[in-house]
Amino acid sequence: MSRGRRSILWVVLVLISFVFLSGNSYAAETIKVGAILAVTGPASFLGAPEEKTLVMMVADINKNGGIKGHKVELIVKDSGASPEKALSFAKQLIEENKVLAIIGPSTSGETMKIKNVAEEGKTILLSCAAAETIVNPVAKYVFKTPQKDSYAVIRIFEQMKKMKLSKAAVLSSNTGFGKAGKEQIEKLAPEHGIQIVANEVYDKAATDLTAEVTKVKASGAQAIINWSIEPAQSIVIKNARQIGFNGQIFQSHGFGNIKYVEAALPAAEGVIFPAGRLLIVESLPKDHKQKAVLMKYKKEYEAKTRGEESSTFGGHAYDAMLILTKAIEKANSTDKEAVRSAIEGLKGVVGTAGIFNFSPQDHNGLDMSSFEMLTVKNGKFVPLKK
Amino acid sequence: MKEKHLHLLGFSSLIVAIQLLTQFTDSGYHLTQLTMTAYYSLLIIGLCMLTGYAGQISLGHAGFFAIGGYLTAFLTTHDLSLYKGKGIVVILAKTGVLVTRPDLYGGDLLTFNPWASCIVALCITIIIAYIIGGPVLKLKGHYLAMATLGFGIIVYRIVLASELLGAADGISDVPAFRLLSGVEITGSSSSRVMNYYIAWGLVTAGMALLLNLIHSRVGRALASIHGAEDAADAVGIPTAQYKLKTFVLSAAFAALAGVLLTHYNGGIGPSEASVMKSVRYVAIVAVGGMANLWGALVMSLVLNYLSLRGYFGTYDDVVFGGILILIMLFAPGGLLRRHIIGDIRRIFSPGDGEEGIS
Amino acid sequence: MNLDLFFQYIVAGITYGTIYAIVAIGFNIIYNATGIINFAQGEFVMLGGMIAVTLQHLMPLPAAILSAVLITMTIGAFIEMVFIRWLRGPSVLRLIIITIGISILIREGALHIWGTSVRALPYFTGTSVTSINMGGVYVSPQVLWVVGISAIIVAFLTVFFNYTLPGRQMRACSANRDAARLCGINARNMVTLSFMLSAAIGALGGCVVSPITYVQYDSGTPLAIKGFTVAILGGLGNSTAAVAAGMILGILESFSIWVLPAAYKDVISISILLVILFVKPSGIFGSAETAGLKEF
């Protein structure tokens, strides 16, 4: 057989087998939920805990009989933070698996690419990414669970004003997370009376930032605001203290992982950052509305992962699943349109990031109180004393 | 000659057959991944031409893909309304290059129309390929590999760092590419079948072009360059020119693939320029058989399709890395060849002692 | 820019530069012995750091580092024996692709063993904030460790290649393989030895650098690229030049922040690589003849 013809035979055989073998098992009673997460790759800080959280939650739900008697089938796709993969998986989940809702993606870049796909496919999208443009302009089927970056930035600015600091240096990483924070800082600084005297973007894989912090120190900044989720967070603090910068260091909510503190001790002492209350759940008063939910999530997550610290990012996936569950229960149906409207009508849902109050105009549901200002004392996260 | 036409015809029938099959089994969703695969295949057959026939390795081809994709994305989403009165914008508008369309918030966007941006993207890529190709192709072996790798990394770093190009988030909301009235390249599911045929039609046309090239004087010259460059030089073949032209041609294929896929996807991100993508393309060409256009096309179809469906899960990169190693160790000429069994047997037969690396 | 700032940038540059130089030396050793560019060199650095961090919970720091180096050496030998040893007259292209594939497999293997978490060894002396004030310039003691250990590595290698039997055998093989075999030197073992040596150096570098830079499953690849740039800059195969080239690249990158946004730092090093490749591929310190000699 000639070369070309043999090749064609291979193709035919392979493709035919795939077209037929990829049929799905149609268990009519299950609720299908898709998840597109960046489990590996450059955004794995976000996607890995999100994936573990979702798997854990769905197992729990099914153990307790499912939602309204229907078992949940979770289909997780690892996009590796690639928008083209996210797109391909989104179409696959919507058209082939016919899921009720998609949780994720983990990054804003991916979410923006599939926003239209979700709208066109009339499938609910509960994004775990934080960009403002995900819910503004509001799209009928697209929601997001993380708090607004602008709230975090405003809390930092208010703290700066309290400490009578007005000159800030901004350092951010070249990821979507860093970029979003940087944009909010630049946008909101003037109206809060903060002057940005230095503004540097570094590579997320940067291993030494001495040159950057040297430039910052030379600019006369009174405070550093660092916005990233990588180990660079710890590196910035270390390098800054090593070259003798003594001003206040602020971090983003990406700092909420005790490993970064451990890696940077003792330079991390005194760092201030906004975060979800998951990190200081033990010090919440007993009657705090979020305490029960947070304790439960933290205990379960750490038990399931054998000691890995729970993170606020995994919490975004938790909130997404929680909201979906509550909406299905409220709508008492698994029809996409009914569940979607139900989400818009949800009020007072206690999640890990805060208390959600949705409306047709607000597809995020959180406000400024969802952030708590934390600091590091004796190597532990504690709430910042007002 | 005739065999070639037969292959093309056979291939086209296969494409139609697959589409009809999905129609009958009501699994039209496969067409999405198949269409995306088609565009990647366009890049791969161009790369196969360069690596297999002209013998020049390129570890940075994703860079050309990204240049094409990002240029068209930028030109069709960047709002020029601010510059409405300025000279050059007025000229462009008069020549019909610009188009107005509504944006997310209900306002108006003044951008390039996709035809114009496609042409601009291709031209710029060709220019870049000419400029880089000259010095790069003078290098050999490791140095050539590193230079192409370096090129790919620079493109990646630039698109990742540049605010104008969306930095880490990339560019979204790229409009559909209207080829003729009623025929457009878009990701919306109503045009799935049409887009499938557009994509594979282009691939078939590309294959026809390359096959023609291979069986012409140019192709024979390239084969001689690949086989023994000095001898080719001695015979009077302008090797440098041919290598450069092949390089530019493969870059053009890659950029075209980038442009069209970006319009199909409605956006592009920096991950399209990453080193892993370039490695992946080389892996596919290698496994299909370096100098085997059909082999590369088949392998591209299979592997890209599986990868886009998430078949390999978190082991996606492992699969391509593993393929690279296995093929290079056991079947450096690729899998889809007539004498593959004989070759494998020969590798495992007792050798002649102390050969090894020289 | 005042003098203090200027020197602070230089120190930062030397820090980066030494890290790159260690990787480059690893490249050069294997290149000299075999003519192969080992793309997996960065992964040796990563493995050294990761293994040491895991072992450090079980044994004191020096023992953990030593074990990590030995384990990585074994892995290096294993790679050579399984993937490279039995190839017969492979082309350059084939070898490049094989080592790229190996680097991918090691990286993904590390991902599935250690996950995506980021690790670091504790600082050898002092903590993350101690810094020595050398006349207005602040230097972390770990940086001094990095520079010191690099100097020891270079000294060791010079002695090894010039005065010990295995070292001289390796040089003989690089110079003229057939003549070396005629003298009874087992060329294949020399190749394995070169891999083991490169792996050991990379691993040691990874250990000493991890408190400053942290290691993660994918920290190998960017290092390999920078290391390769430095190796070519100095002239492939010339390790003393690699150290100097490392310093130059590190300092250039460091000062680039003053004029370009930090986001473009990597573009600088790659551009330098391309310029060198186009203009003088034998490196700034090299010439075509010395490149052919493949001396240390």
Side-chain angles (χ1 to χ4, degrees):
Chain A
M1 208 189 269
S2 82
R3 186 164 75 185
R5 251 177 260 166
R6 174 184 294 196
S7 318
I8 293 186
L9 183 62
W10 275 60
V11 176
V12 175
L13 289 173
V14 168
L15 278 180
I16 287 184
S17 51
F18 276 114
V19 167
F20 284 120
L21 288 178
S22 61
N24 291 289
S25 51
Y26 288 104
E29 288 287 345
T30 61
I31 298 177
K32 290 201 195 166
V33 177
I36 303 177
L37 302 170
V39 183
T40 58
S44 55
F45 284 98
L46 302 172
E50 285 164 1
E51 191 246 354
K52 295 193 183 104
T53 304
L54 277 182
V55 168
M56 180 180 89
M57 277 187 89
V58 169
D60 255 353
I61 290 177
N62 285 339
K63 209 167 47 172
N64 295 330
I67 308 178
K68 292 261 178 216
H70 299 283
K71 293 247 185 237
V72 176
E73 183 191 337
L74 181 69
I75 307 171
V76 179
K77 297 281 191 187
D78 177 9
S79 68
S82 274
E84 66 276 0
K85 276 212 167 131
L87 194 73
S88 175
F89 293 149
K91 292 195 177 168
Q92 199 181 2
L93 287 170
I94 294 175
E95 294 166 3
E96 182 176 342
N97 302 99
K98 299 203 191 346
V99 295
L100 167 64
I102 298 180
I103 296 184
S106 318
T107 67
S108 307
E110 295 171 88
T111 309
M112 290 314 290
K113 303 280 182 315
I114 67 172
K115 194 172 163 185
N116 291 329
V117 175
E119 281 292 298
E120 207 200 353
K122 295 200 184 353
T123 303
I124 300 168
L125 183 68
L126 288 151
S127 171
C128 299
E132 306 269 338
T133 43
I134 296 175
V135 292
N136 178 10
V138 168
K140 272 182 77 183
Y141 288 88
V142 178
F143 302 84
K144 81 170 167 104
T145 55
Q147 310 94 326
K148 285 206 192 145
D149 286 325
S150 52
Y151 295 153
V153 170
I154 294 176
R155 294 298 291 261
I156 291 180
F157 284 159
E158 287 176 350
Q159 184 62 31
M160 277 181 74
K161 281 201 284 221
K162 256 190 231 161
M163 299 169 81
K164 308 237 190 324
L165 304 168
S166 65
K167 293 202 189 137
V170 181
L171 293 170
S172 57
S173 73
N174 62 359
T175 58
F177 184 88
K179 178 176 164 229
K182 172 173 174 292
E183 276 171 6
Q184 291 302 319
I185 294 176
E186 287 165 352
K187 188 168 115 183
L188 296 166
E191 65 199 62
H192 289 262
I194 305 291
Q195 187 196 1
I196 302 179
V197 295
N199 195 340
E200 289 297 328
V201 176
Y202 51 81
D203 182 57
K204 65 170 174 50
T207 52
D208 184 276
L209 294 162
T210 314
E212 282 87 347
V213 296
T214 306
K215 196 170 176 187
V216 161
K217 187 172 168 206
S219 70
Q222 297 166 317
I224 293 180
I225 307 179
N226 176 56
W227 210 276
S228 60
I229 35 175
E230 295 76 26
Q233 295 179 92
S234 310
I235 298 179
V236 162
I237 314 178
K238 283 190 319 190
N239 290 153
R241 296 294 182 224
Q242 270 164 9
I243 62 164
F245 176 82
N246 294 318
Q248 177 63 44
I249 298 183
F250 292 95
Q251 294 274 18
S252 69
H253 45 293
F255 193 59
N257 186 328
I258 201 74
K259 277 221 154 39
Y260 292 133
V261 173
E262 287 167 5
L265 277 178
E269 288 288 318
V271 166
I272 298 178
F273 66 105
R277 294 191 179 80
L278 180 63
L279 302 173
I280 39 110
V281 58
E282 278 99 1
S283 48
L284 288 175
K286 227 188 296 221
D287 55 357
H288 192 282
K289 281 200 209 143
Q290 282 185 276
K291 183 151 183 163
V293 171
L294 291 173
M295 285 302 298
K296 177 166 178 276
Y297 173 60
K298 188 174 152 92
K299 285 213 164 57
E300 270 194 51
Y301 189 87
E302 281 161 20
K304 176 158 190 279
T305 59
R306 277 186 286 258
E308 182 189 316
E309 286 278 336
S310 53
S311 80
T312 50
F313 298 113
H316 296 319
Y318 183 92
D319 293 342
M321 193 70 217
L322 182 68
I323 290 168
L324 187 65
T325 309
K326 291 254 184 292
I328 296 177
E329 288 171 355
K330 180 162 179 232
N332 204 359
S333 125
T334 53
D335 168 56
K336 283 187 202 171
E337 194 45 50
V339 175
R340 188 203 73 81
S341 315
I343 297 181
E344 281 181 343
L346 283 178
K347 303 258 183 262
V349 176
V350 181
T352 63
I355 302 177
F356 290 87
N357 293 300
F358 288 97
S359 80
Q361 296 79 31
D362 184 358
H363 275 206
N364 174 225
L366 293 172
D367 63 15
M368 281 249 276
S369 64
S370 50
F371 275 124
E372 180 95 18
M373 289 305 271
L374 303 184
T375 183
V376 177
K377 199 163 163 183
N378 297 329
K380 299 218 179 306
F381 290 132
V382 297
L384 184 67
K385 300 225 187 335
K386 305 249 192 296
Chain B
M1 289 300 130
K2 247 188 133 181
E3 192 189 333
K4 171 186 68 174
H5 290 149
L6 205 62
H7 286 326
L8 281 174
L9 206 59
F11 183 70
S12 316
S13 342
L14 180 68
I15 296 296
V16 178
I18 293 178
Q19 192 269 314
L20 292 174
L21 191 64
T22 58
Q23 200 155 357
F24 285 136
T25 57
D26 200 23
S27 47
Y29 38 79
H30 287 291
L31 294 181
T32 307
Q33 280 82 26
L34 285 171
T35 312
M36 289 173 83
T37 303
Y39 290 121
Y40 286 123
S41 305
L42 203 56
L43 181 154
I44 288 186
I45 54 179
L47 182 62
C48 179
M49 194 67 184
L50 180 67
T51 310
Y53 292 94
Q56 309 298 309
I57 184 173
S58 171
L59 287 175
H61 245 60
F64 289 120
F65 183 96
I67 292 179
Y70 262 96
L71 274 174
T72 185
F74 176 71
L75 289 173
T76 51
T77 53
H78 192 71
D79 188 14
L80 295 169
S81 320
L82 290 174
Y83 311 101
K84 240 189 194 144
K86 305 262 174 70
I88 184 162
V89 175
V90 173
I91 300 176
L92 288 174
K94 283 231 184 77
T95 53
V97 154
L98 298 181
V99 83
T100 310
R101 56 190 183 88
D103 76 355
L104 284 176
Y105 301 91
D108 265 341
L109 275 181
L110 184 66
T111 64
F112 272 68
N113 87 44
W115 268 112
S117 68
C118 176
I119 293 178
V120 169
L122 278 177
C123 289
I124 293 191
T125 309
I126 292 179
I127 294 176
I128 295 181
Y130 258 111
I131 296 179
I132 301 213
V136 163
L137 292 171
K138 289 202 182 68
L139 301 169
K140 300 268 187 325
H142 291 125
Y143 298 110
L144 173 62
M146 283 325 256
T148 51
L149 183 67
F151 168 71
I153 295 178
I154 286 195
V155 173
Y156 176 68
R157 287 286 159 196
I158 291 181
V159 299
L160 186 60
S162 164
E163 291 275 352
L164 266 186
L165 297 176
D169 289 330
I171 302 182
S172 325
D173 289 316
V174 174
F177 189 157
R178 200 159 152 275
L179 293 174
L180 307 160
S181 84
V183 178
E184 49 178 24
I185 296 184
T186 170
S188 76
S189 49
S190 50
S191 339
R192 248 189 339 220
V193 177
M194 174 170 66
N195 270 277
Y196 172 78
Y197 280 118
I198 295 177
W200 282 107
L202 281 167
V203 172
T204 314
M207 280 299 277
L209 184 86
L210 291 180
L211 285 171
N212 249 328
L213 212 58
I214 292 176
H215 289 113
S216 72
R217 264 184 87 194
V218 176
R220 288 193 285 278
L222 287 177
S224 66
I225 295 176
H226 189 184
E229 191 163 335
D230 296 327
D233 249 334
V235 176
I237 296 176
T239 55
Q241 231 191 72
Y242 274 127
K243 286 199 291 191
L244 184 59
K245 290 208 171 120
T246 316
F247 185 73
V248 172
L249 183 68
S250 68
F253 267 69
L256 184 65
V259 168
L260 298 178
L261 187 60
T262 301
H263 282 286
Y264 181 75
N265 282 343
I268 190 171
S271 55
E272 289 282 14
S274 65
V275 172
M276 273 315 295
K277 283 254 154 170
S278 294
V279 168
R280 191 176 286 221
Y281 300 144
V282 173
I284 294 178
V285 171
V287 90
M290 288 284 191
N292 183 348
L293 265 187
W294 284 113
L297 184 59
V298 166
M299 276 301 142
S300 164
L301 187 71
V302 173
L303 290 173
N304 274 318
Y305 175 74
L306 292 178
S307 169
L308 282 173
R309 281 183 61 80
Y311 196 69
F312 304 128
T314 54
Y315 292 94
D316 212 31
D317 284 340
V318 177
V319 166
F320 285 96
I323 287 179
L324 272 185
I325 293 189
L326 288 175
I327 293 298
M328 281 298 127
L329 285 182
F330 299 116
L335 275 184
L336 297 177
R337 297 180 310 130
R338 203 175 302 172
H339 307 291
I340 183 77
I341 306 294
D343 282 344
I344 294 186
R345 233 186 265 144
R346 215 181 308 137
I347 288 179
F348 285 109
S349 67
D352 54 80
E354 281 274 338
E355 258 280 12
I357 323 289
S358 51
Chain C
M1 168 166 353
N2 59 27
L3 207 59
D4 271 353
L5 211 56
F6 181 80
F7 280 116
Q8 192 71 53
Y9 274 125
I10 299 246
V11 167
I14 292 182
T15 316
Y16 308 140
T18 328
I19 300 172
Y20 302 152
I22 292 184
V23 182
I25 292 179
F27 270 121
N28 284 332
I29 294 180
I30 293 186
Y31 178 76
N32 278 340
T34 66
I36 304 175
I37 302 275
N38 176 20
F39 277 82
Q41 187 63 31
E43 312 306 323
F44 290 144
V45 176
M46 181 272 292
L47 281 174
M50 296 297 265
I51 296 177
V53 171
T54 308
L55 289 179
Q56 185 239 332
H57 294 300
L58 303 170
M59 52 181 90
L61 190 61
I65 295 181
L66 189 62
S67 318
V69 171
L70 288 172
I71 294 178
T72 315
M73 267 174 84
T74 326
I75 296 179
F78 175 78
I79 287 176
E80 195 276 330
M81 292 195 284
V82 169
F83 294 109
I84 314 241
R85 185 174 259 234
W86 53 274
L87 289 173
R88 247 171 273 128
S91 68
V92 163
L93 179 59
R94 210 170 148 201
L95 284 171
I96 292 177
I97 295 186
I98 290 179
T99 55
I100 291 181
I102 293 175
S103 112
I104 295 177
L105 286 183
I106 297 182
R107 192 176 69 226
E108 297 294 314
L111 169 62
H112 284 99
I113 297 179
W114 285 292
T116 54
S117 58
V118 168
R119 290 134 189 279
L121 286 175
Y123 276 74
F124 292 10
T125 50
T127 68
S128 60
V129 279
T130 42
S131 61
I132 305 175
N133 188 336
M134 305 188 343
V137 176
Y138 295 88
V139 181
S140 160
Q142 195 65 27
V143 173
L144 298 176
W145 274 102
V146 172
V147 176
I149 292 196
S150 309
I152 294 178
I153 290 179
V154 173
F156 165 76
L157 287 174
T158 317
V159 166
F160 177 78
F161 280 114
N162 285 319
Y163 298 109
T164 66
L165 190 57
R168 291 160 85 178
Q169 286 181 332
M170 272 175 75
R171 275 171 64 206
C173 278
S174 309
N176 189 329
R177 193 194 191 88
D178 292 325
R181 278 163 58 194
L182 284 174
C183 293
I185 298 176
N186 186 336
R188 295 179 120 173
N189 287 346
M190 287 300 120
V191 173
T192 314
L193 185 60
S194 72
F195 268 79
M196 288 171 71
L197 202 54
S198 269
I201 293 175
L204 186 57
C207 291
V208 80
V209 141
S210 73
I212 308 181
T213 68
Y214 304 111
V215 275
Q216 201 184 1
Y217 79 98
D218 61 359
S219 29
T221 318
L223 273 180
I225 295 174
K226 293 276 174 70
F228 183 81
T229 307
V230 167
I232 294 220
L233 202 61
L236 257 187
N238 186 343
S239 282
T240 24
V243 174
M247 295 301 140
I248 293 178
L249 184 67
I251 293 178
L252 276 175
E253 271 194 353
S254 176
F255 276 98
S256 75
I257 298 201
W258 198 253
V259 284
L260 271 183
Y264 290 96
K265 203 154 80 167
D266 281 345
V267 179
I268 305 268
S269 54
I270 302 289
S271 311
I272 293 178
L273 173 67
L274 287 181
V275 168
I276 289 287
L277 282 176
F278 293 161
V279 171
K280 196 169 185 244
S282 44
I284 42 184
F285 296 110
S287 63
E289 293 95 41
T290 44
L293 282 180
K294 295 191 191 164
E295 278 296 313
F296 175 73

